[in-house]
Amino acid sequence: MSYYGQQYGGNPKYISDYFIKNDRFQRFDLVWGVSKTTEFILPPRIKKVRLFSFKTLRMLATSKVIITNYRLPDYFIKREGQHYIQTWHSSLRLKKVEKDAEAALPASYVKMAKRDSKHTDLILSGSRFSTETIRRAFWYKGDILESGMPRNDMLLQQNELKKKEIKLQIGASNEAKLLLYAPTFRKTFKAEDYKLDYSMIQHIMEQKTGDKWTILVRLHPHLIQHSKDILSGKDVIDATAYPDIQELLAVADICITDYSSLMFDYMITKKPCFLFVPDLETYKKDDRGLYFTPEELPFPIFKKAEDLLGLLQEFDQNQYRKKVQQFTDSVGSYDDGTAARQVYEHIDNICFRAKRSEWNEAI
């Protein structure tokens, strides 16, 4: 299950995809929980159940392994012998979470999180920093798999055929370079906090690289109503409805975001990432607090849209890569492109190690 059944995405998707590709003898039945109000396409191998239905309750009660990236509510009662894996979302994040931000969280969520952690058998970690955060702030004393994030595997795997397919699906030329702009949602909307001069960005990048550039804009769902204020211009593609942000990151040659944790996913590619933070001082005062301020990160930041143009012209790729490497070393990144395989091997061991032991004794 992923994001409350709203999509086939996140770490659970990439674990499922690995099972589909590598479980050749179909020893595992794959079942996906889907929200009652959402429709999306699942791979043929995966069965669908509607959340809160009798079938879902039955699957939760009888499944050997349960994988999710969100806290399960009270109706989940773990039975003896079940193995519950919490993948969480990303390897790093700006805003503090769980116990580190307990004072700013609803009491009902804290109660649910504590209960969920008590039932959890394994949490995935994408970095040494995250492992320390899980130990300190997740009300959790169980096992941690320091595998990296399965959703980041594809960012480290050079699958050119897949990238061509993604470009075709979003309507971009295979020859074009892509700049992805993916702003997050603020509680108070101000158009100036989001608007960029796409035509000038394209002009500068085409002069600098000699390539044709297309802009992809991926809006938060809560920003769709303001899309006319943010989207405009030639060779600008609205990628908001594209189902998987990781695939957009995989094909992007440059990424611009603000406070989204996707910056940390994209960071492992060592391709340029810029942060547009016009409301930085306000954001720093967030009641949850921050693990890092944007100034501590390796990404160039700008507070005025016009300042991006100078950053693009003066960008030094070698210097940027050094800063990214220093930061990834400091947080102890585990992403190496093998996370889904490690989870698969863990589950295979959980489900079949007893039988293997019997086979060994028989031999």
Side-chain angles (χ1 to χ4, degrees):
M1 296 178 286
S2 179
Y3 299 112
Y4 305 94
Q6 295 293 321
Q7 60 174 258
Y8 183 61
N11 289 314
K13 170 193 171 178
Y14 286 93
I15 295 170
S16 298
D17 286 349
Y18 191 90
F19 269 79
I20 292 170
K21 184 177 180 180
N22 293 278
D23 179 30
R24 293 176 298 167
F25 300 106
Q26 298 193 15
R27 299 169 303 160
F28 297 93
D29 291 328
L30 305 179
V31 182
W32 196 271
V34 179
S35 166
K36 291 183 178 180
T37 60
T38 306
E39 291 293 342
F40 50 82
I41 298 174
L42 289 169
R45 170 82 186 276
I46 298 179
K47 301 174 184 177
K48 177 176 70 175
V49 294
R50 292 291 181 182
L51 293 185
F52 305 108
S53 67
F54 176 77
K55 284 185 177 180
T56 299
L57 296 177
R58 182 173 179 272
M59 286 297 171
L60 284 173
T62 59
S63 296
K64 173 65 177 178
V65 179
I66 296 169
I67 303 172
T68 184
N69 61 6
Y70 64 93
R71 296 294 194 179
L72 289 180
D74 291 349
Y75 64 73
F76 170 55
I77 301 175
K78 183 182 172 186
R79 66 173 173 79
E80 184 177 353
Q82 281 188 312
H83 196 74
Y84 174 28
I85 300 175
Q86 171 62 254
T87 73
W88 209 241
H89 312 305
S90 60
S91 56
L92 292 167
R93 60 208 58 82
L94 277 185
K95 283 188 177 183
K96 291 183 177 180
V97 296
E98 307 302 86
K99 189 177 180 180
D100 286 346
E102 185 172 359
L105 298 174
S108 58
Y109 174 82
V110 172
K111 180 181 178 181
M112 179 176 66
K114 289 180 178 179
R115 180 183 182 278
D116 186 70
S117 285
K118 185 177 180 181
H119 290 313
T120 302
D121 295 290
L122 185 76
I123 296 181
L124 306 190
S125 171
S127 66
R128 184 179 64 250
F129 185 93
S130 284
T131 295
E132 294 167 356
T133 302
I134 292 166
R135 286 291 180 219
R136 181 185 64 250
F138 276 54
W139 303 286
Y140 178 70
K141 297 180 180 179
D143 293 336
I144 296 174
L145 182 62
E146 295 176 329
S147 57
M149 294 288 100
R151 74 182 199 174
N152 287 344
D153 286 351
M154 73 173 304
L155 300 181
L156 295 170
Q157 298 164 355
Q158 299 303 314
N159 189 334
E160 296 304 319
L161 180 60
K162 179 63 176 178
K163 290 180 180 180
K164 287 182 180 180
E165 292 176 358
I166 296 169
K167 284 188 172 183
L168 180 64
Q169 290 178 43
I170 60 179
S173 165
N174 189 52
E175 291 73 31
K177 295 288 186 179
L178 302 181
L179 183 150
L180 172 65
Y181 177 40
T184 50
F185 171 71
R186 277 91 152 177
K187 294 178 182 178
T188 303
F189 176 81
K190 295 180 181 178
E192 59 268 25
D193 288 345
Y194 295 93
K195 293 184 71 172
L196 295 175
D197 189 338
Y198 302 129
S199 61
M200 186 57 70
I201 292 171
Q202 289 166 320
H203 175 69
I204 287 175
M205 292 310 300
E206 287 170 6
Q207 279 193 328
K208 184 169 183 174
T209 67
D211 297 302
K212 178 180 174 60
W213 282 78
T214 296
I215 309 291
L216 306 179
V217 181
R218 167 71 173 231
L219 300 178
H220 187 282
H222 291 162
L223 290 173
I224 292 176
Q225 60 181 315
H226 302 292
S227 60
K228 66 179 185 300
D229 298 312
I230 304 173
L231 282 160
S232 63
K234 182 182 178 183
D235 292 321
V236 177
I237 296 175
D238 182 1
T240 301
Y242 194 80
D244 191 345
I245 184 65
Q246 300 305 113
E247 293 188 355
L248 298 181
L249 292 176
V251 298
D253 298 285
I254 293 177
C255 178
I256 299 174
T257 185
D258 38 33
Y259 309 108
S260 171
S261 62
L262 69 81
M263 71 177 80
F264 298 115
D265 291 352
Y266 194 70
M267 175 179 69
I268 67 175
T269 70
K270 295 189 170 60
K271 291 186 286 188
C273 181
F274 299 84
L275 306 185
F276 182 28
V277 289
D279 54 347
L280 177 58
E281 298 310 315
T282 301
Y283 191 85
K284 284 181 180 179
K285 298 175 184 177
D286 183 88
D287 55 1
R288 279 170 52 182
L290 306 178
Y291 287 120
F292 313 97
T293 64
E295 295 95 338
E296 294 173 311
L297 301 173
F299 316 112
I301 67 173
F302 60 104
K303 298 180 181 180
K304 296 180 180 179
E306 57 268 27
D307 292 341
L308 172 62
L309 307 179
L311 289 176
L312 291 172
Q313 288 176 322
E314 299 168 7
F315 183 77
D316 185 327
Q317 176 70 18
N318 292 330
Q319 189 64 28
Y320 173 76
R321 290 175 71 92
K322 288 180 182 178
K323 289 183 178 180
V324 167
Q325 189 61 55
Q326 289 171 354
F327 184 80
T328 54
D329 289 344
S330 71
V331 298
S333 175
Y334 298 136
D335 282 309
D336 63 0
T338 68
R341 188 197 74 198
Q342 293 183 58
V343 176
Y344 175 87
E345 291 173 349
H346 173 83
I347 294 173
D348 181 71
N349 191 42
I350 289 294
C351 292
F352 296 106
R353 64 184 172 189
K355 291 184 178 180
R356 291 196 186 99
S357 177
E358 292 172 4
W359 296 338
N360 291 337
E361 290 174 5
I363 292 172

